């Protein structure tokens, strides 16, 4: 009996499934026998820390970074570190750089060491603050000197004019320095005391407003008294150091002194002894060094002479004799050499890096090898299959029977002979075209060489003016070509004197430029046999950088004053150093002396808009190197094929491809173009993208035709080809129109190149029919490590923007 009023389950009651635990869990427990597996903490749970743990972790990271910054500040310019290298760059012809440097020298409680034979170069030692600085002056007109010094400088000191700030040369210098990468810097304004107070205040406001373009939120340091110079020195010593990636992973030094010892064979080549302070990383004697502007060299040994800029010579000398693991010179046993110069290390020939930069290709490497047994068996099987039965007279040998031809085979053999004749004619035409192209290229090169070697006297002004008119005509022609390429990209006229199938025989059609396959190892040029390639470049780069960060290399530590014995150096390096040019050395990472294909991502500089055609000779500053090369321009996309650009575009970023020595990114890139008068214009800036010879650059050609008769979905097209054979040759290639129609060639009409085409819709009478052809292209091997010194820019009075201030 159910009590009255009790709840009864209705017919629509929800029935839940019973839980089925199964036997798996219990079976696994029984098999484990009480053993518990180790629980690996996944990455997701590692990140899911508590709030207190996250705060503690952030505090630890912040404290670690702060300690690293403080340690870097304390070491730079101290007794154990290299002197604080400050490069003074006057940005105006009227900037009082000498007065500013004289103020820095005239402070109390400092010791000044003047560099012999170098104007504007001196060292300041302050034993009270336990700091030392080295000041070097660079003229803004000498672009190479400014950029080389900025590569190794700890701080840059820009010196402005109190009224105009900087001129055109200074602005050009600033553009190059910002593109290369700036270290820490300060801006000083000496002078201006002779102006009336009101004009001085207005000039300072004008200068501060104009500086916002280059130096936003940067303080101007006046430099007229000793107190102001001490404030500037304190700011240089305590400001946060900005890092340049390409120099932090390589040992580098600025030559403090140099000596050239000629070799026994020739006076033009010898050993260069370069002394300076090691910066960046530990310097190993077995690695290669790159002298900026002169090339790669090997070292024979590294010496440790006394520090000429030591704060306490006796303490430093005792410390060096105790701490540094040095070997006394056994060859020269004089007491003076043992006391003054000690040999740190000598090069080991078994561990020393080689100077070989190119692969020597084997001409027999591409020859066919002896066939394998499998290939011989396949050939025998094919011969058995191709055997035929022929009736022959009695007594005929096998050799005679092979020459007997059946009646049915005569026609086919005649057709094959005709095809061979056509192929031979095509080959002859290709050879003729290639010979004409080579001869024209040789004539152009000879003409260029003659134009470069001609020297004209000053009295022949009319001829010089005519030469400038010829340059204007050439530039006008380039402007026309660039304009035509913008209006009709990649379009060419079909030649009438040469068949199109011969003229464009190296091109092919693609169903889709984006998705159609293209083998990167197909038909490579001979220059690719001379270069090196990595299996995985990014993996090699990460491995090298990880070794630099974690492993301790043997050699001269950062801050040591050493003398490098650089072998087989031409005497021109020493001559340029005697002329007052800076001598900068960088150690090379493994493989950085080898040639490969470098890809730079660049963008046009707004100061230059002249047309720059592909394969023109340009000057590149890549990291610590500078060289000349003839590049290719291509689009920057994520696809596996990249379309060639005939000109360096103004409105988009492009990839520049050249043959050059391997450099591991990151590295800044500056592209210059040299005029006929020797001046160099900055045309593009960017960075090193990759080292990849497999990057496929595709040149596109577009043949155009015009619809002659239009039907519903077909049309008769003319002017694309001019003979029937060309129409049949290009019949498999897909057609497109400028208004978006797609189609294909159905059949030729007549013998003058008219053809019937079918499209996916009706054409308009003003439409144009296009046929795309593609070919892979490669850069020219014109790499030249020698870059001539640029002619100084012509200074103008001021390069400030127009922010005029009304003055009474």
């Amino acid at each position: 009996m159910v009590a009255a009023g009790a709840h009864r389950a209705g017919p629509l009651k929800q029935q839940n499934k019973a839980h089925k635990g199964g036997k798996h869990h219990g079976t696994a427990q029984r098999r484990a026998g009480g053993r518990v597996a180790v629980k690996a903490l996944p990455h997701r749970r590692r990140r899911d820390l508590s709030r207190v743990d996250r705060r503690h972790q952030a505090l630890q990271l912040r404290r670690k970074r702060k300690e690293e910054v403080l340690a870097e500040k304390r070491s730079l310019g101290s007794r154990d570190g290299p002197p604080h290298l400050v490069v003074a760059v006057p940005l105006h012809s009227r900037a009082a750089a000498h007065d500013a440097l004289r103020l820095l020298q005239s402070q109390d409680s400092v010791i000044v060491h003047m560099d012999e034979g170098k104007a504007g170069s001196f060292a300041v030692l302050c034993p009270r603050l336990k700091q030392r600085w080295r000041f070097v002056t660079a003229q803004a007109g000498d672009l190479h000197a400014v950029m080389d010094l900025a590569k190794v400088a700890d701080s840059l000191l820009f010196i402005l004019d109190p009224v105009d700030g900087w001129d055109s040369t200074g602005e050009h210098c600033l553009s190059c320095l910002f593109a290369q990468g700036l270290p820490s810097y300060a801006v000083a304004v000496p002078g201006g005391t002779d102006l009336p107070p009101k004009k001085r205040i207005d000039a300072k406001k004008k200068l501060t407003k104009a500086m916002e373009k280059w130096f936003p939120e940067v303080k101007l340091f006046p430099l007229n008294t000793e107190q102001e110079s001490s404030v500037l020195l304190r700011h240089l010593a305590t400001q946060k150091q900005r890092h340049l990636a390409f120099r932090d992973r390589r040992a580098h030094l600025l030559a403090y002194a140099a000596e050239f010892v000629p070799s026994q064979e020739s006076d033009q080549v010898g050993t260069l002894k370069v002394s300076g302070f090691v910066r960046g990383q530990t310097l190993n004697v077995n690695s290669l060094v790159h002298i900026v502007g002169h090339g790669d060299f090997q070292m024979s040994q590294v010496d440790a002479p006394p520090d000429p800029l030591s704060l306490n010579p006796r303490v430093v000398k005792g410390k060096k004799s105790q701490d540094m693991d040095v070997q006394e010179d056994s060859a020269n046993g004089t007491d003076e050499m043992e006391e003054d110069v000690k040999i740190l290390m000598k090069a080991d020939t078994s561990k020393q890096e080689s100077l070989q930069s190119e692969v020597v290709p084997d001409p027999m490497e591409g020859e066919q090898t002896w066939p394998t047994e499998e290939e011989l068996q396949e050939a025998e099987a094919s011969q058995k299959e191709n055997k035929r039965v022929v009736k022959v007279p009695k007594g005929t040998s096998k050799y005679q029977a092979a020459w007997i031809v059946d009646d049915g085979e005569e026609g086919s053999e005649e057709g094959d002979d005709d095809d061979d004749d056509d192929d031979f004619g095509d080959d002859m035409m290709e050879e003729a075209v290639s010979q004409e192209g080579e001869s024209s290229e040789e004539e152009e090169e000879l003409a260029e060489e003659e134009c470069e070697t001609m020297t004209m006297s000053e009295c022949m002004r009319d001829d010089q003016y005519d030469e400038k008119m010829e340059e204007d005509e050439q530039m006008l022609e380039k402007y026309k070509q660039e304009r035509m390429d913008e209006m009709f990209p990649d379009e060419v006229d079909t030649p009438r004197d040469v068949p199109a199938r011969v003229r464009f025989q190296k091109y092919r059609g693609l169903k889709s430029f984006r998705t159609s396959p293209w083998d990167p190892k197909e038909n490579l040029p001979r220059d690719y046999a001379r270069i090196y390639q990595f299996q995985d470049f990014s993996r090699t780069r990460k491995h090298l950088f990880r070794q630099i960060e974690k492993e301790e290399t043997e050699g001269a530590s950062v801050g040591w004053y050493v003398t490098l014995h650089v072998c087989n150096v031409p005497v021109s390096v020493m001559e340029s150093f005697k002329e007052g040019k800076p001598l900068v050395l960088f150690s090379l990472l493994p493989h950085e002396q080898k040639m490969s294909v470098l890809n730079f991502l660049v963008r046009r500089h707004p100061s230059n808009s002249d047309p720059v055609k592909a394969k023109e000779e340009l000057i590149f500053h890549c990291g610590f190197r500078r060289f000349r090369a003839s590049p290719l321009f291509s689009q920057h996309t994520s696809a596996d094929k990249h379309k060639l650009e005939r000109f360096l575009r103004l409105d988009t970023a492009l990839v520049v491809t050249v043959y050059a020595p391997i450099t591991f990114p990151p590295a800044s890139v500056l592209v210059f173009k040299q005029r006929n008068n020797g001046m160099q214009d900055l045309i593009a800036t960017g960075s090193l993208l990759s080292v990849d010879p497999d990057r496929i650059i595709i040149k596109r050609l577009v043949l155009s035709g015009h619809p002659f008769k239009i039907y519903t979905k077909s049309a008769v097209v003319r002017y694309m080809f001019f003979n029937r054979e060309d129409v049949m040759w290009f019949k498999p290639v897909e057609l497109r129109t400028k208004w978006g129609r797609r189609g294909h060639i159905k059949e030729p009409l007549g013998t003058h190149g008219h053809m019937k085409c079918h499209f996916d819709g009706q054409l308009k009478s003003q439409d144009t029919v296009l046929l795309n052809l593609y070919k892979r292209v490669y850069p020219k091997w014109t790499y030249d490590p020698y870059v001539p010194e640029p002619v100084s820019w012509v200074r103008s009075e001021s390069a400030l923007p127009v922010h005029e201030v009304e003055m009474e």
Side-chain angles (χ1 to χ4, degrees), residues 221-288:
F221 286 90
L223 202 58
N224 297 314
T225 62
E226 292 185 8
Q227 185 178 1
E228 291 172 347
S229 64
S230 62
V231 171
L232 177 60
L233 267 183
R234 192 179 299 113
H235 173 75
L236 290 173
T238 57
Q239 69 175 346
K240 184 180 178 181
Q241 293 297 309
R242 302 176 65 177
H243 295 276
L244 298 181
F246 70 87
R247 76 178 185 185
D248 287 343
R249 294 187 176 93
R250 299 171 179 87
H252 55 276
L253 61 86
L254 174 65
Y256 184 79
E259 179 187 355
F260 183 77
V261 180
S263 62
Q264 298 178 357
E265 291 81 8
S266 174
D267 296 338
Q268 301 299 318
V269 179
T271 300
L272 184 66
K273 298 180 181 179
V274 183
S275 301
F277 293 91
V278 180
R279 302 171 185 271
Q281 295 289 334
T282 302
L283 180 62
N284 190 358
V285 70
N286 293 320
S287 62
L288 300 178

Side-chain angles (χ1 to χ4, degrees), residues 253-471:
L253 61 86
L254 174 65
Y256 184 79
E259 179 187 355
F260 183 77
V261 180
S263 62
Q264 298 178 357
E265 291 81 8
S266 174
D267 296 338
Q268 301 299 318
V269 179
T271 300
L272 184 66
K273 298 180 181 179
V274 183
S275 301
F277 293 91
V278 180
R279 302 171 185 271
Q281 295 289 334
T282 302
L283 180 62
N284 190 358
V285 70
N286 293 320
S287 62
L288 300 178
V289 292
H290 176 79
I291 302 178
V292 177
H294 299 282
D296 305 334
F297 302 95
Q298 288 179 331
M299 292 181 289
S300 59
Q301 72 180 42
V302 178
D303 299 340
D307 189 349
L309 304 178
S310 61
L311 293 169
N312 191 346
R314 293 181 182 177
V315 175
V316 173
K317 188 172 182 181
K319 182 175 176 26
K320 282 193 177 182
S321 61
Q322 292 174 7
D323 296 345
M324 290 195 302
D325 184 15
V326 298
Q327 300 175 0
E328 295 187 0
D329 192 357
S330 59
N332 191 349
T334 60
D335 295 338
E336 184 180 358
M337 288 296 294
E338 289 180 0
E339 289 181 1
D340 292 341
V341 178
K342 300 199 171 60
I343 298 176
L344 281 178
M345 64 199 76
K346 289 189 175 182
D348 186 359
T349 54
S350 60
K351 298 179 181 179
Q352 198 171 25
E353 290 281 344
S354 172
L355 281 172
Q356 182 179 357
S357 61
E358 301 177 16
V359 180
V360 181
D362 185 5
M364 301 299 293
E365 193 173 7
E367 294 295 323
Q368 183 180 1
T369 55
W370 187 258
T372 60
E373 294 183 359
E374 296 178 357
E375 292 174 346
L376 291 173
Q377 291 175 1
E378 289 178 1
E380 290 178 0
S382 62
Q383 287 179 359
K384 290 179 181 178
E385 292 175 359
N386 294 334
K387 282 186 177 179
R388 53 192 175 88
V389 180
V390 182
K391 292 181 179 181
V392 296
K394 291 183 179 181
T396 305
S397 63
K398 292 182 179 180
Y399 178 78
Q400 292 173 335
W403 285 93
I404 298 176
V405 183
D406 291 341
D407 295 337
E409 293 180 358
E410 291 180 358
S412 64
E413 287 182 357
E414 290 176 359
D416 293 340
D417 293 342
D418 295 340
D419 293 340
D420 291 339
D421 293 341
D422 292 341
D423 293 340
F424 179 75
D426 294 346
D427 294 339
M428 292 294 290
M429 183 63 70
E430 181 184 358
E431 289 180 2
V433 172
S434 63
Q435 287 177 1
E436 289 177 2
E438 291 175 358
S439 62
S440 62
E441 288 179 0
E442 291 176 359
E443 290 174 2
E444 290 176 2
E445 291 176 359
L446 290 173
E448 290 178 0
E449 292 176 0
E450 291 175 359
C451 290
E452 290 177 356
T453 55
M454 285 178 65
T455 56
M456 307 296 290
S457 61
E458 295 183 358
C459 61
M460 301 176 68
R461 295 180 181 177
D462 294 338
D463 296 341
Q464 287 182 355
Y465 192 81
D466 291 340
E467 286 181 2
K468 291 181 181 178
M469 294 302 296
E470 292 176 2
E471 292 177 11

Side-chain angles (χ1 to χ4, degrees), residues 450-658:
E450 291 175 359
C451 290
E452 290 177 356
T453 55
M454 285 178 65
T455 56
M456 307 296 290
S457 61
E458 295 183 358
C459 61
M460 301 176 68
R461 295 180 181 177
D462 294 338
D463 296 341
Q464 287 182 355
Y465 192 81
D466 291 340
E467 286 181 2
K468 291 181 181 178
M469 294 302 296
E470 292 176 2
E471 292 177 11
D472 291 344
E473 290 179 359
Q474 294 176 1
M475 188 61 67
L476 177 62
E477 186 65 27
K478 284 186 180 180
Y479 275 114
K480 288 182 179 179
Q481 292 177 4
E482 186 180 30
R483 181 64 178 163
M484 290 295 292
D485 190 57
E486 289 178 0
M487 295 174 61
F488 307 100
D490 303 322
E491 287 193 31
V492 296
D493 295 330
T494 306
R496 305 194 64 173
D497 53 345
V498 180
R501 62 185 183 279
V502 175
R503 171 63 182 84
F504 307 119
Q505 60 186 343
K506 294 183 179 180
Y507 292 81
R508 69 181 71 174
L510 294 178
K511 179 71 176 176
S512 170
F513 182 82
R514 185 177 61 86
T515 59
S516 296
W518 197 301
D519 186 8
K521 305 296 184 184
E522 176 188 356
N523 293 333
L524 296 177
R526 286 187 176 271
D527 290 335
Y528 265 54
R530 302 164 59 185
I531 64 173
Y532 292 85
Q533 183 179 6
F534 296 96
Q535 272 189 332
D536 191 343
F537 177 73
S538 59
R539 182 179 177 184
T540 305
R541 172 178 168 271
K542 289 179 181 177
H543 177 67
L544 282 175
F545 289 173
R546 199 178 298 118
Q547 280 184 338
I548 294 171
E549 293 173 0
K550 294 182 178 180
E551 298 183 5
E552 293 184 0
T553 58
E554 297 179 356
S557 299
V558 177
W560 289 7
Y561 183 78
V562 296
T563 299
L564 310 181
H565 293 245
V566 188
C567 306
N568 299 324
V569 179
V571 71
S572 59
V573 179
M574 188 64 191
E575 291 174 354
S576 67
F577 181 71
K578 288 180 179 179
E579 293 173 358
K581 302 292 177 62
L583 190 59
V584 179
L585 284 79
F586 276 84
S587 67
L588 298 183
L589 299 178
H591 314 296
E592 283 197 325
Q593 78 279 14
K594 299 173 182 176
M595 296 290 291
S596 188
V597 178
L598 270 63
N599 302 304
F600 308 134
L601 180 61
V602 303
R603 187 180 288 271
R604 284 299 294 266
H605 195 265
S607 64
N608 186 274
S609 59
D610 294 339
V612 180
K613 201 173 182 180
K615 296 187 178 180
E616 282 189 23
E617 188 181 73
L618 301 176
I619 297 173
F620 293 87
H621 290 239
C622 176
F624 54 88
R625 293 185 186 272
R626 57 173 176 258
F627 54 87
R628 292 185 293 176
S630 300
L632 290 180
F633 307 138
S634 58
Q635 294 179 351
H636 178 50
T637 60
S638 59
D640 60 339
K641 296 181 290 295
H642 312 272
K643 192 178 82 67
L644 175 77
E645 293 289 342
R646 289 173 168 80
F647 291 89
L648 192 60
R649 301 294 182 192
L650 292 170
D651 54 348
T652 183
L654 295 179
V655 176
V656 177
T657 303
V658 295

